[in-house]
Amino acid sequence: MTAPAPHPRRKVLGRLSLPERNFVAEALRAETVGGVLLLIAAVTALIWANTAGGSYESVRGFHLGPGSLGLDLSLQHWAADGLLAVFFFVAGIELKRELVAGDLRDPKAAALPVVAALCGMAVPALVYLLTNLVGGGSTDGWAVPTATDIAFALAVLAVIGTSLPSALRAFLLTLAVVDDLFAILIIAVFFTSDLNFAALGGAVIGLAVFWLLLKKRVRGWYIYLPLALAIWGLMYNSGVHATIAGVAMGLMLRCHKEDDSERHSPGEHIEHLVRPLSAGLAVPLFALFSAGVSISGGALGDVFTKPETLGVVLGLVIGKAVGIFGGTWLAARFTKAELNDDLAWPDVFAVASLAGIGFTVSLLIGELAFTEDPLLTDEVKAAVLVGSLIAAVFAGTLLKVRNAKYRKLWEDEERDDDLSGVPDIYEMDDPGYHLRMAAIYEKKAAEHRRLAEVSGGEREDGNGPA
């Protein structure tokens, strides 16, 4: 009796399906532009805070808003609690889409990025805790180095000109989505102040109404926008961090197409509209009002001498790289998966190192973890900046070494010789593709023959132009 053929081993970081590739490409274009704006905002904040006297502190400390509603906030708080709610709204939609239509819908495919992301958060937290337990520092900031900033990471890729193949880019994006989910849970569980149950109940009722309207297919931004603002205001006054309202509403949107008549699901459509606002305005403004820390005197030296700040730097640079790489290798090892033939494990390590750029959410958690100590808050922010910079330079160097290989893979993925609008690599098994290519080659050959006849350069053996 013939033994059954062995089941083919699943490829780690293999080529994406065409719909997933197109979605990732569109999402990353917006994030890359937003990342460049984020870089500009961060540099502007640093220059402003260190050259213009006290004007930076005066501007970000300026209060506005209705005090009767408990919303008389500084510009810094409006950026952290208000604008980042837009960022987490988009993160909620991304997560919902990954769960119902993306890679995370398949438990086997989801295991790799989920395990990698969890290890990529646990190891930096352990590195921070060990550094502070040994050095006698505060353990309150354990969550600061656990976050990955996808926009900043992609901005680094844009600056160094690396053409990462879509599988590595999708891996980085999925890591960041799962990372955002657990960052949201950390904020909700560990950084919730005294609860106002009346406001929290109002927020929950508002979310229920939001869900019911979506369920009943009610349309109109003029209905949802005021409701979303009311939910956000109630959530802020409840003591739960207001960004939780954003991710909750994002998770409620439908992110799958019900039939072929729908070009995009409602969630994908809204994400397409809101993502530029998030990446191009909300996150850069948050960086402008949060990243301005003093780097004069011994501030940068203190980053490597205080256990709290050293723990953040080591967590981002070493913890992230080791955690994500180790989690990926373990997940591949115990699921009997194989790495894509076109890639090598050093490629995974380079992307894992890039995930050590933990700018936006790390800054937010830094503010929440040390609210009672403004000086330490600024020092931790400086550590986030230094750690992210080191991670960016280190990962950029690793990726640059393999850039020629990545560029060839990327060009192979993008090639469309038959001008069908679909990359050739996705059409190889389609008989129509080979017919189109044969017609193209015949047309080119006929053009060569015509040019040869006109120029009089036809070779005597008739095999083409001289």
Side-chain angles (χ1 to χ4, degrees):
M1 182 176 177
T2 305
H7 189 72
R9 300 181 76 178
R10 186 171 56 85
K11 292 289 184 184
V12 176
L13 302 181
R15 190 171 72 241
L16 302 178
S17 65
L18 183 59
E20 188 71 8
R21 169 195 172 277
N22 292 338
F23 172 81
V24 168
E26 182 178 348
L28 295 185
R29 272 194 294 270
E31 292 289 1
T32 302
V33 173
V36 173
L37 294 175
L38 181 60
L39 281 172
I40 294 171
V43 172
T44 302
L46 287 170
I47 295 173
W48 186 5
N50 287 276
T51 59
S55 66
Y56 179 77
E57 290 295 337
S58 298
V59 170
R60 75 173 179 177
F62 180 76
H63 278 245
L64 73 160
S68 59
L69 298 178
L71 296 175
D72 181 18
L73 309 177
S74 67
L75 289 179
Q76 184 178 5
H77 276 103
W78 276 113
D81 295 282
L83 292 177
L84 280 195
V86 179
F87 167 78
F88 279 108
F89 175 69
V90 173
I93 299 175
E94 286 177 339
L95 178 63
K96 179 69 172 290
R97 185 201 164 277
E98 287 292 330
L99 290 171
V100 302
D103 287 344
L104 298 184
R105 74 185 187 278
D106 178 4
K108 290 182 179 179
L112 180 75
V114 170
V115 171
L118 283 173
C119 292
M121 299 184 81
V123 175
L126 287 174
V127 169
Y128 178 93
L129 289 172
L130 287 173
T131 304
N132 282 269
L133 289 173
V134 172
S138 170
T139 58
D140 292 343
W142 63 270
V144 175
T146 60
T148 293
D149 193 309
I150 184 64
F152 216 141
L154 291 170
V156 171
L157 291 180
V159 169
I160 65 175
T162 300
S163 300
L164 275 184
S166 59
L168 282 176
R169 288 178 178 264
F171 180 59
L172 183 60
L173 179 62
T174 307
L175 271 178
V177 170
V178 178
D179 194 293
D180 285 341
L181 168 65
F182 289 105
I184 291 160
L185 293 176
I186 287 172
I187 291 170
V189 173
F190 295 99
F191 298 106
T192 294
S193 57
D194 296 334
L195 289 176
N196 179 330
F197 287 99
L200 182 59
V204 171
I205 291 172
L207 287 170
V209 172
F210 188 88
W211 177 82
L212 186 62
L213 291 173
L214 291 173
K215 194 75 173 174
K216 296 294 184 181
R217 302 286 200 278
V218 175
R219 297 176 179 270
W221 64 267
Y222 46 84
I223 297 174
Y224 289 101
L225 183 58
L227 179 59
L229 292 174
I231 294 170
W232 176 86
L234 288 165
M235 191 69 77
Y236 177 84
N237 282 284
S238 74
V240 177
H241 200 269
T243 53
I244 305 301
V247 74
M249 287 183 278
L251 285 169
M252 289 182 182
L253 294 175
R254 177 168 62 83
C255 293
H256 65 278
K257 294 190 291 185
E258 290 190 332
D259 52 57
D260 293 337
S261 64
E262 282 189 326
R263 186 176 179 184
H264 300 290
S265 67
E268 289 173 317
H269 177 67
I270 293 172
E271 181 189 29
H272 180 74
L273 294 175
V274 179
R275 185 186 288 277
L277 176 64
S278 169
L281 182 66
V283 175
L285 280 178
F286 167 76
L288 181 64
F289 292 120
S290 293
V293 296
S294 175
I295 56 176
S296 59
L300 288 179
D302 289 343
V303 166
F304 298 99
T305 57
K306 287 191 173 183
E308 293 90 351
T309 51
L310 180 61
V312 170
V313 173
L314 294 178
L316 289 172
V317 177
I318 297 175
K320 272 289 183 183
V322 172
I324 292 175
F325 178 80
T328 305
W329 186 86
L330 288 172
R333 173 72 177 80
F334 289 104
T335 58
K336 296 183 179 180
E338 290 180 342
L339 187 66
N340 182 2
D341 294 335
D342 294 324
L343 300 173
W345 282 109
D347 299 319
V348 180
F349 185 77
V351 173
S353 302
L354 193 63
I357 301 174
F359 193 75
T360 304
V361 180
S362 289
L363 289 177
L364 175 62
I365 295 176
E367 291 181 358
L368 297 174
F370 300 106
T371 52
E372 304 300 322
D373 192 341
L375 178 60
L376 186 54
T377 298
D378 279 351
E379 290 172 340
V380 166
K381 286 182 178 181
V384 170
L385 295 175
V386 171
S388 296
L389 179 61
I390 294 172
V393 172
F394 180 59
T397 303
L398 294 178
L399 292 168
K400 200 70 176 176
V401 170
R402 295 267 289 171
N403 197 40
K405 174 67 173 178
Y406 296 147
R407 182 166 294 280
K408 183 177 186 308
L409 291 174
W410 183 80
E411 289 173 350
D412 289 342
E413 288 181 1
E414 296 297 316
R415 183 173 292 115
D416 184 20
D417 289 339
D418 66 339
L419 304 178
S420 66
V422 177
D424 295 339
I425 201 167
Y426 291 96
E427 297 184 298
M428 294 298 188
D429 296 330
D430 177 13
Y433 166 77
H434 298 287
L435 293 174
R436 290 193 298 274
M437 291 304 299
I440 289 171
Y441 292 145
E442 177 56 34
K443 184 177 180 181
K444 288 181 178 179
E447 183 66 16
H448 279 300
R449 289 193 296 270
R450 187 186 69 79
L451 290 174
E453 291 171 357
V454 170
S455 63
E458 187 75 26
R459 294 209 307 232
E460 292 182 1
D461 59 8
N463 286 331

